[in-house]
Amino acid sequence: MFRIKTLIRFSIRLFFIGLVFGAIGIVAIWAVVAPTLPDVDVLQDVRLQVPLRVFSEDGALIAEIGEQRRTPVRLEDVPEPLRLAFLAAEDDRFYRHPGIDWRGTLRGAWLYALSMGQGRVPGGSTITQQVARRFFLSTEYSVTRKLREMLLALKIERHLSKDEIFELYLNKEFLGHRAYGIAAAAQVYFGKRLDELTLAEMAQLAALPKAPSRDNPISGPRQAMIRRNWILDRMLHLGYIDADQHALARAEPNNARLHGPVVELSAPWVAEHARLALVERVGAEQAHSGGYRIYTTVNSRMQRAADQSVRDGLQSYDRRHGWRGPEQQFNLEALSAEPGIDEQLRRTRAVADLQPAIVTAVDAAEATLRIRGGEDLVITLDSLGWARPFLRLNALGARPQAVSEVLSAGDLVRVRQVDGEWRLAQVPRAEAALVAMEADTGAVLAMVGGLDFGRSQFNRVTQSRRQPGSAFKPFVYAAALDRGYTAASLVNDAPVVLDDPSMERAWRPTNFGRRFYGPTRLREAMVHSRNLVSVRLLMDIGLDFARDYISEFGFARVDLPAGPSMALGSASLTPLSLTSAYAVFANGGFAVEPQFIHRVTDNFGQIVFEPSWMRICPDCPPEAGGPEGPGDNGLVDINAPRRIDLNQIELGLAQGGPMFGPQLPRIAPQIISAQTAWLIHSMLADVVTHGTGRRALTLGRGDLAGKTGTTNDLRDTWFVGYGGGIVASVWVGMDDNESLGSQEQGGRTALPLWVDFMEVALQDRPERRPAEPVGLARALINPETGLRARPGTAGAVAEWFHADNLPPLEAADERRRETDPYDIF
């Protein structure tokens, strides 16, 4: 009995001694480790890496850019069954322990001791400890790291509430396939929002943290289902769900498959332009992970129309130049064995709307083609009339008489769906660019920089510098009108030889048809694009004056050739700059800057950047409007509501500071008079009604105006025009600057794209015909002389002039004075 009492006393003493030494050890560890622990206060203002998202002006998602796919959510927005699924899987005592679950920790320590420290052991880490590890520690497997993790968990629990910790965990956790956080994972695996998930899918998400790369439902479906069902069993055991819910969820199959970002609008060139603008402002890392949302000026309906117009227009051009043959030729027998037809099609990317197809059978009447998804389709001879063999530029072979003359078994070709019917196609050699903007504000409404962004990221709207040809002439004519010429002035359309310093040789310009028409009024010269008239005009008003004048339209003076070839559009300009310049004619003479961005917000919708906008204001005095330029950060509000700080207002008023609230827009500078702008508009309107732009009449509107452009050897073709307040430019050409081929002029290549686009863009826009401004006068003229006609003169036509620059009245007698068209030389 004595021995038992002695043993008990010894055990008690030993226990207390161990307790004291343990406490001393814990205090010592805390004293040594605690000062080295990071400051957990940063968790109260943590900024998770969230990808950049780009939207249209009507809120359609254009792109999601960033390495991590994440959509932060607030805990109150997470469905309760999903929260319970994670608690059942990771830490069912989360709301009851102080950050460390001693039962789990002791279990982990015991297993670690049994393994003699060889390898990892399960259990032990609470949700709080996982948050500590994710935010502050490495994935190193060591006792030291585990101790730091435990101490950090205790520290976190003192600074944050349980709900705040749980919210951080659900948003931070990596869940496989670039998905970080539960909202991103729900989209990646199921293509759903959190509130759309089934109980089984919620359990599937809760199963991911254990081994997200290996055991997710895509990469490891078997293990993922085992883990999911275990979590459902745990939820039933813990009373989170009832038996019926458990049975129904367990019976649900694995519905997971990879879902990309839900892109609602294809506008990759717009997204890239917006991304680069943000990168320039905040840097690449912050731009791609800071959760910014860029709301662009692009209109979804117009962007889709622009994309379709470019695709249709390039296909129409390509079909005119025949069939160049298949992209590749396979041995069908060998291909069927390895890698297989379907696999080969999967490896071949689509180009725009051109899908890859492999010919599996062919005879004289039809061919059978396999496309992605295992679908077979039939191409008949009736649809192959265009597929004459391409021999060389401007030379085609005979029309095919049998399908087998065009296609062979094993050919890899392209097909395109048109009006629900699959048709043979090919990737066009030509490229195109289309951009449209608001004439009054510069807001870019649509932009297509080429056929396919995946094939070429080169943006031909903003980066490609091509010669505009005759589309440049309106700027020369505007300069001439402000130098004393009128729309009725006669200039001789006749051969001329000039020394052009910009070309370092003698220059002999000619008209497109190599015909000359003698004395021609400026209006007729514009309508029929007479080259020699433009050249003589430029030489008479002076190169220096013309370059200074035209540079006011937004062109860099250095980009304008210092020679007479400038009159015919030899400057290298981007489609965007040309569109912006034509907006001056459309809006009454005001220079507006192209704008792509309405606003940039953070992930919570707070506006962080706003661009500086210009607005035209014909009736405003010069000093009206907001600031003359952007502020220190280049951002000035125009119409978005301001976030007003009442304390700041009170302080500002007390100190005599400025008032707060929306700023007035900047007033666009007027670079040409309203009278000159209207006169050029009237000439460009005649181009549509009587000249090279007549195809636009199919739109059935009376407010259209524009100009075609075609350069030497038909390398660049254009149509730039406007109507309904929208200015749009289309360029078609070859990236390698080769010729497009015989008869491929702007009116045939670019104008049809413009018409197709504007047909959609102008659907909800009323006609907008600019009123004649004060300062213009209308008079009857003799079209043969350009002089004012006397009453009763046969064949007289009406013309508009600056009121202070009317031509003289014709002489009364038959020997009336004639104007010598050669007087300008």
Side-chain angles (χ1 to χ4, degrees):
M1 188 71 177
F2 175 76
R3 290 181 180 179
I4 294 174
K5 290 182 178 180
T6 302
L7 183 60
I8 291 173
R9 284 198 295 269
F10 177 76
S11 299
I12 292 173
R13 289 173 184 169
L14 186 63
F15 171 76
F16 279 108
I17 290 171
L19 189 62
V20 169
F21 276 104
I24 292 172
I26 291 173
V27 171
I29 292 172
W30 181 261
V32 173
V33 177
T36 67
L37 295 177
D39 183 5
V40 300
D41 285 338
V42 298
L43 292 178
Q44 294 177 327
D45 190 32
V46 67
R47 295 186 66 87
L48 298 170
Q49 290 190 31
V50 179
L52 167 66
R53 293 181 174 92
V54 183
F55 298 87
S56 66
E57 56 92 18
D58 48 341
L61 179 65
I62 294 175
E64 184 177 279
I65 304 167
E67 293 183 4
Q68 299 184 4
R69 293 184 61 182
R70 180 187 275 115
T71 304
V73 292
R74 293 182 172 87
L75 189 62
E76 57 264 29
D77 297 327
V78 179
E80 185 179 11
L82 182 56
R83 284 184 265 170
L84 295 175
F86 272 91
L87 292 175
E90 297 296 322
D91 188 0
D92 63 276
R93 297 182 68 249
F94 171 68
Y95 281 96
R96 299 196 299 274
H97 62 61
I100 300 174
D101 186 349
W102 298 110
R103 287 189 296 186
T105 300
L106 291 174
R107 183 175 64 251
W110 175 252
L111 293 173
Y112 182 78
L114 290 179
S115 69
M116 302 297 290
Q118 303 299 313
R120 294 177 179 267
V121 294
S125 287
T126 63
I127 284 177
T128 311
Q129 287 175 258
Q130 293 181 58
V131 168
R133 183 166 66 247
R134 295 287 185 268
F135 281 94
F136 298 113
L137 303 174
S138 68
T139 56
E140 173 196 6
Y141 186 69
S142 68
V143 174
T144 303
R145 198 269 298 160
K146 194 68 176 179
L147 285 172
R148 288 172 60 82
E149 177 187 296
M150 294 169 66
L151 295 176
L152 263 176
L154 293 171
K155 193 174 181 181
I156 289 171
E157 291 270 352
R158 294 203 307 273
H159 286 75
L160 301 179
S161 69
K162 286 288 188 179
D163 283 352
E164 289 173 330
I165 295 169
F166 198 18
E167 183 177 300
L168 285 172
Y169 172 78
L170 293 176
N171 284 308
K172 176 71 173 178
E173 198 69 13
F174 172 60
L175 300 176
H177 290 286
R178 293 180 52 230
Y180 289 78
I182 54 174
Q187 173 58 42
V188 167
Y189 293 111
F190 303 111
K192 296 181 178 181
R193 299 190 309 270
L194 294 181
D195 58 0
E196 297 173 328
L197 296 171
T198 66
L199 177 60
E201 291 166 344
M202 292 179 182
Q204 192 79 78
L205 293 186
L208 290 169
K210 183 178 181 181
S213 298
R214 184 192 65 200
D215 294 342
N216 66 70
I218 304 297
S219 305
R222 181 175 174 277
Q223 284 301 116
M225 290 294 286
I226 293 172
R227 176 76 174 165
R228 184 202 75 171
N229 291 337
W230 177 83
I231 291 172
L232 291 171
D233 295 344
R234 285 277 298 159
M235 294 180 74
L236 177 64
H237 173 72
L238 293 168
Y240 295 162
I241 57 175
D242 59 34
D244 290 340
Q245 291 173 309
H246 174 263
L248 188 63
R250 247 185 170 270
E252 187 173 313
N254 181 3
N255 297 318
R257 61 182 180 85
L258 279 181
H259 296 76
V262 185
V263 173
E264 300 165 304
L265 177 65
S266 176
W269 283 279
V270 175
E272 179 64 4
H273 190 87
R275 183 191 72 84
L276 290 174
L278 186 61
V279 166
E280 184 177 353
R281 183 170 296 279
V282 302
E285 183 177 353
Q286 180 66 11
H288 298 157
S289 63
Y292 292 105
R293 297 181 177 214
I294 303 177
Y295 291 87
T296 68
T297 57
V298 169
N299 176 278
S300 295
R301 179 172 56 85
M302 295 188 197
Q303 180 64 32
R304 292 189 182 98
D307 211 32
Q308 192 62 46
S309 298
V310 167
R311 294 175 178 185
D312 291 345
L314 288 177
Q315 282 300 311
S316 295
Y317 164 81
D318 206 64
R319 288 162 70 96
R320 292 197 293 269
H321 293 270
W323 174 246
R324 297 187 299 276
E327 292 183 15
Q328 282 184 267
Q329 232 289 328
F330 296 104
N331 182 300
L332 269 186
E333 185 176 343
L335 184 61
S336 298
E338 184 65 38
I341 294 176
D342 292 335
E343 177 61 20
Q344 182 60 50
L345 290 171
R346 189 188 67 81
R347 293 177 184 177
T348 307
R349 66 176 302 273
V351 176
D353 58 349
L354 303 173
Q355 300 296 325
I358 292 179
V359 181
T360 56
V362 64
D363 57 27
E366 64 182 32
T368 302
L369 288 74
R370 173 72 58 84
I371 60 175
R372 288 176 178 174
E375 180 183 352
D376 290 327
L377 54 93
V378 175
I379 299 290
T380 62
L381 182 61
D382 293 340
S383 64
L384 295 181
W386 67 271
R388 299 167 62 187
F390 173 83
L391 303 177
R392 62 184 182 277
L393 190 63
N394 304 323
L396 302 178
R399 181 187 177 96
Q401 301 302 309
V403 175
S404 54
E405 294 178 14
V406 179
L407 299 173
S408 301
D411 284 353
L412 174 65
V413 296
R414 298 281 172 171
V415 292
R416 182 172 186 253
Q417 202 165 29
V418 181
D419 298 329
E421 177 186 351
W422 287 102
R423 297 180 184 177
L424 181 68
Q426 58 190 351
V427 177
R429 288 189 59 228
E431 276 288 359
L434 188 155
V435 61
M437 61 186 282
E438 284 276 6
D440 292 351
T441 67
V444 174
L445 302 172
M447 179 170 70
V448 178
L451 175 65
D452 182 84
F453 185 79
R455 187 173 68 140
S456 169
Q457 289 80 50
F458 183 64
N459 189 343
R460 293 158 188 84
V461 168
T462 61
Q463 296 174 297
S464 180
R465 291 182 170 273
R466 306 298 291 245
Q467 294 182 343
S470 294
F472 190 79
K473 290 176 181 175
F475 308 112
V476 176
Y477 279 55
L481 291 180
D482 283 343
R483 198 70 161 177
Y485 279 85
T486 73
S489 296
L490 290 181
V491 178
N492 195 30
D493 182 42
V496 64
V497 179
L498 299 169
D499 180 30
D500 189 341
S502 67
M503 304 177 70
E504 299 183 352
R505 60 180 172 84
W507 183 48
R508 295 175 175 83
T510 184
N511 288 322
F512 181 78
R514 299 190 180 279
R515 293 179 57 193
F516 302 97
Y517 297 86
T520 305
R521 287 180 292 122
L522 290 197
R523 182 176 293 275
E524 290 300 304
M526 175 79 86
V527 168
H528 299 293
S529 204
R530 304 284 189 246
N531 287 344
L532 277 301
V533 172
S534 299
V535 173
R536 290 179 184 272
L537 266 183
L538 178 63
M539 296 309 294
D540 187 52
I541 64 177
L543 275 168
D544 288 337
F545 168 78
R547 293 178 77 201
D548 289 340
Y549 185 97
I550 295 172
S551 64
E552 291 295 316
F553 285 82
F555 306 122
R557 194 178 192 277
V558 69
D559 291 335
L560 302 176
S565 64
M566 181 180 72
L568 304 187
S570 62
S572 294
L573 306 172
T574 66
L576 182 62
S577 66
L578 206 58
T579 308
S580 179
Y582 264 71
V584 176
F585 303 132
N587 66 30
F590 296 89
V592 292
E593 300 168 353
Q595 293 286 355
F596 287 85
I597 297 174
H598 269 308
R599 65 190 182 278
V600 180
T601 70
D602 61 20
N603 196 52
F604 300 104
Q606 297 298 313
I607 296 176
V608 292
F609 300 131
E610 288 175 319
S612 171
W613 282 67
M614 284 185 172
R615 294 291 178 101
I616 72 165
C617 185
D619 301 321
C620 291
E623 65 274 10
E628 290 301 316
D632 293 339
N633 61 355
L635 301 167
V636 177
D637 188 15
I638 54 163
N639 56 6
R642 281 292 187 183
R643 299 174 299 284
I644 298 177
D645 186 331
L646 296 179
N647 294 326
Q648 196 175 16
I649 291 178
E650 185 177 351
L651 178 63
L653 291 175
Q655 297 177 352
M659 294 293 290
F660 289 79
Q663 298 184 34
L664 292 173
R666 288 188 294 149
I667 302 304
Q670 184 154 18
I671 60 169
I672 63 174
S673 70
Q675 295 77 21
T676 298
W678 192 92
L679 288 171
I680 295 296
H681 161 77
S682 71
M683 295 185 196
L684 293 175
D686 281 354
V687 172
V688 171
T689 54
H690 306 300
T692 56
R694 286 190 301 274
R695 188 187 292 259
L697 293 175
T698 59
L699 294 174
R701 294 176 65 104
D703 63 340
L704 303 178
K707 186 73 183 74
T708 54
T710 307
T711 62
N712 287 345
D713 299 325
L714 303 108
R715 290 190 176 96
D716 299 287
T717 58
W718 299 77
F719 188 80
V720 189
Y722 53 87
I726 297 175
V727 189
S729 294
V730 175
W731 166 86
V732 178
M734 300 284 187
D735 279 344
D736 60 6
N737 208 32
E738 290 295 314
S739 173
L740 288 167
S742 176
Q743 303 305 312
E744 298 292 356
Q745 307 158 38
R748 192 183 192 197
T749 58
L751 180 54
L753 278 70
W754 189 90
V755 170
D756 288 348
F757 167 74
M758 292 295 271
E759 183 177 13
V760 177
L762 296 175
Q763 281 176 358
D764 57 352
R765 294 196 173 226
E767 289 195 9
R768 177 174 155 174
R769 303 189 190 190
E772 301 87 359
V774 174
L776 289 180
R778 194 181 188 195
L780 292 174
I781 64 166
N782 183 335
E784 300 298 324
T785 65
L787 301 178
R788 273 189 296 149
R790 289 185 172 274
T793 300
V797 297
E799 184 56 270
W800 288 91
F801 304 90
H802 283 96
D804 59 355
N805 190 31
L806 272 70
L809 193 65
E810 280 190 318
D813 59 352
E814 294 182 359
R815 293 173 287 112
R816 58 184 174 266
R817 179 171 50 88
E818 295 184 355
T819 300
D820 184 356
Y822 293 91
D823 279 349
I824 65 172
F825 287 98

